[in-house]
């Protein structure tokens, strides 16, 4: 058996990380986050596929591909968290653990960011830990997938 594989999916505007509202999202770019994730994955024995799209349909198509291809999903759906029933439905169609990540503490921000369509489907939610949240999510995912393997 190969290493467990995890799709790390990023939603709209996260391609602007580092230049977009740095007071909220920090100075690291999405490439920095990808490298952080690759480093963590190497240490945890996970294979990762790190992707970002601004398009809802693209994120959904990738989730459909992931149904049979990956063992778990770490997702920062960005603004689609608060709006997209379609992404929540795509995640529900996958019988694999999902961990939701937000760089900022969404609960400290505008009320429209307090609701997530994804949270009821998520195994775990990590908010307000900055880009370290992705590493924490991968660590938790490794634990969940190791438990599965032991069964
Ligand atoms: C975000 C929080 C969302 O409310 C926002 O729309 C984003 C990023 C975060 O990582 O903090 O684009 O998901």
């Amino acid at each position: 058996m190969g290493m467990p594989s995890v799709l790390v999916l990023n939603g709209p505007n996260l391609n602007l990380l580092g230049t977009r509202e740095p007071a909220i999202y920090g100075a690291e770019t999405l490439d920095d986050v990808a490298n952080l994730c690759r480093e963590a994955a190497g240490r945890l024995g996970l294979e990762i596929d790190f992707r970002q799209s601004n398009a809802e349909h693209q994120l959904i198509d990738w989730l459909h591909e992931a149904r049979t291809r990956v063992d778990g999903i770490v997702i920062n759906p960005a603004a689609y968290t608060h709006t997209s029933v379609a992404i929540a439905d795509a995640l529900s169609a996958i019988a694999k653990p999902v961990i939701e990540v937000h760089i900022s503490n969404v609960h400290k921000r505008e009320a429209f960011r307090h609701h997530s369509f994804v949270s009821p489907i998520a195994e775990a939610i990590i908010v307000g830990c900055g880009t370290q949240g992705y590493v924490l999510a991968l660590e938790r995912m490794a634990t969940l997938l190791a438990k599965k393997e032991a069964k």
Side-chain angles (χ1 to χ4, degrees):
M1 231 182 331
M3 283 193 281
S5 69
V6 178
L7 174 64
V8 183
L9 202 52
N10 294 280
N13 303 305
L14 290 169
N15 55 310
L16 298 180
L17 219 55
T19 57
R20 167 200 190 199
E21 305 183 85
I24 295 173
Y25 297 113
E28 279 165 295
T29 66
L30 192 65
D31 273 350
D32 293 334
V33 178
N35 286 330
L36 207 64
C37 286
R38 284 188 197 109
E39 199 179 88
R43 172 167 60 80
L44 295 163
L46 299 173
E47 205 171 275
I48 62 159
D49 186 2
F50 189 97
R51 299 187 186 200
Q52 187 273 333
S53 177
N54 293 324
E56 192 173 20
H57 78 92
Q58 179 63 85
L59 295 164
I60 292 165
D61 285 349
W62 283 340
L63 287 171
H64 290 181
E65 281 174 27
R67 289 179 76 200
T68 52
R69 217 171 41 82
V70 306
D71 299 303
I73 294 164
V74 169
I75 185 167
N76 182 349
Y80 288 143
T81 309
H82 320 299
T83 64
S84 180
V85 174
I87 286 177
D89 280 353
L91 288 165
S92 297
I94 308 175
K96 307 285 167 67
V98 173
I99 301 182
E100 177 183 352
V101 174
H102 299 286
I103 295 168
S104 64
N105 179 356
V106 285
H107 298 290
K108 218 177 170 182
R109 301 179 64 194
E110 302 96 322
F112 67 82
R113 295 185 205 277
H114 297 179
H115 177 262
S116 165
F117 283 104
V118 172
S119 293
I121 295 144
E123 197 75 34
I125 307 157
I126 297 169
V127 304
C129 295
T131 57
Q132 190 186 3
Y134 287 80
V135 175
L136 299 173
L138 288 169
E139 282 175 353
R140 182 63 186 160
M141 187 60 81
T143 303
L144 293 174
L145 296 178
K147 273 189 196 149
K148 258 193 179 167
E149 201 129 304
K151 271 184 199 155

